DNA sequence: CTTCAGGTACGATTCAAGTCGTACCTGAAA
DNA sequence: TTTCAGGTACGACTTGAATCGTACCTGAAG
């Protein structure tokens, strides 16, 4: 019933390079921006982000975000939850999440 | 005599994706960290960063940093200067430069 | 049990990025 | 002028990342 939390790095072990690499991708940045915008930090389903990519690729992106220490993944077997590691991120890299709000969401180049 | 400033994006046009992509590379992050640490924002020579890469690759990295809007490049013909665009960066992405200080310099994995 | 949707594992493909070799340009100094 | 160090341009190589196809796993609902 209660999903098990997939492992990520400890709060003190967050690597700035890995974080920047994770946020360099448009889709991953979109996910994290959506998570950071919700101040209640609700757990969300993986398919609630409207990513225009296949589910295999989504799996890849969520894994990158988790291994960078930005999100927790909760495995329920046949579905998965995602939660922002806001406290850990703010502790190690204060102000990082606020930067994501400085970018207008869905800023994909037209044409 | 007075070098000419190579063009980069306007302050309001700084793109977060380009910035994260630029800072995802270890060498470029090292350069920007060194620049951000100097609170006097002195202009520095391109070969004052002790980058363990060829000069062609250095040219490439400085170009990426400039096109991301993070630095100004001043061309003197047979040598080049680099200056951090601190005001523009702080205006558009406040707190970003402070994040670089949270990472210990020269943190290359041993062994 | 079967069915079904969500997710993963593995491999293959495609593309972007980091790197360097060769050649060339630039300005200063001899 | 020549020489020299710093830098660029172009091309080529190599690695890593993003993407998807196929097959398989998981738990819930019939």
């Amino acid at each position: 019933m209660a999903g098990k939390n997939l492992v990520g790095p400890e709060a003190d072990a967050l690597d700035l390079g890995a974080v920047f690499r994770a946020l360099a991708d448009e889709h991953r940045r979109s996910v994290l921006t959506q998570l950071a915008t919700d101040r209640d930090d609700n757990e969300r389903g993986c398919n609630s982000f409207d990513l225009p990519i296949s589910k295999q690729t989504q799996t890849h992106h969520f894994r990158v975000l988790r291994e960078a220490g930005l999100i927790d993944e909760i495995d329920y077997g046949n579905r998965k939850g995602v939660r922002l590691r806001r406290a850990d991120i703010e502790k190690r890299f204060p102000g990082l999440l606020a930067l994501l709000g400085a970018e207008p969401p869905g800023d994909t180049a037209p044409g």
Side-chain angles (χ1 to χ4, degrees), chain A:
Chain A
M1 209 59 151
K4 62 177 176 184
N5 205 325
L6 300 182
V7 298
E10 298 291 322
D12 294 336
L14 294 196
D15 177 61
L16 191 56
V19 168
F20 281 147
R21 271 191 298 276
L23 296 180
D25 181 84
E26 177 189 0
H27 298 134
R28 291 193 293 260
R29 203 165 59 253
S30 170
V31 167
L32 215 69
T33 300
Q34 293 184 48
L35 288 172
T37 302
D38 176 23
R39 292 235 122 247
D40 294 334
D41 288 338
N42 293 313
E43 180 179 324
R44 292 184 55 172
C46 277
N47 56 353
S48 69
F49 293 97
D50 284 328
L51 296 177
I53 48 180
S54 68
K55 56 181 184 178
Q56 307 97 296
T57 305
Q58 293 190 32
T59 296
H60 164 67
H61 284 313
F62 285 118
R63 170 192 284 261
V64 172
L65 287 173
R66 171 172 56 87
E67 291 181 345
L70 295 172
I71 65 171
D72 278 328
E73 290 186 285
I74 302 95
D75 183 17
Y76 296 103
N78 67 342
R79 80 181 194 178
K80 209 174 56 176
V82 173
R83 198 184 310 112
L84 179 66
R85 294 181 59 178
R86 186 185 296 273
D88 292 337
I89 300 172
E90 282 298 322
K91 175 186 176 186
R92 186 98 171 84
F93 303 120
L96 173 64
L97 294 178
L99 294 179
L100 297 173
E103 186 88 325
D107 196 4
T108 50

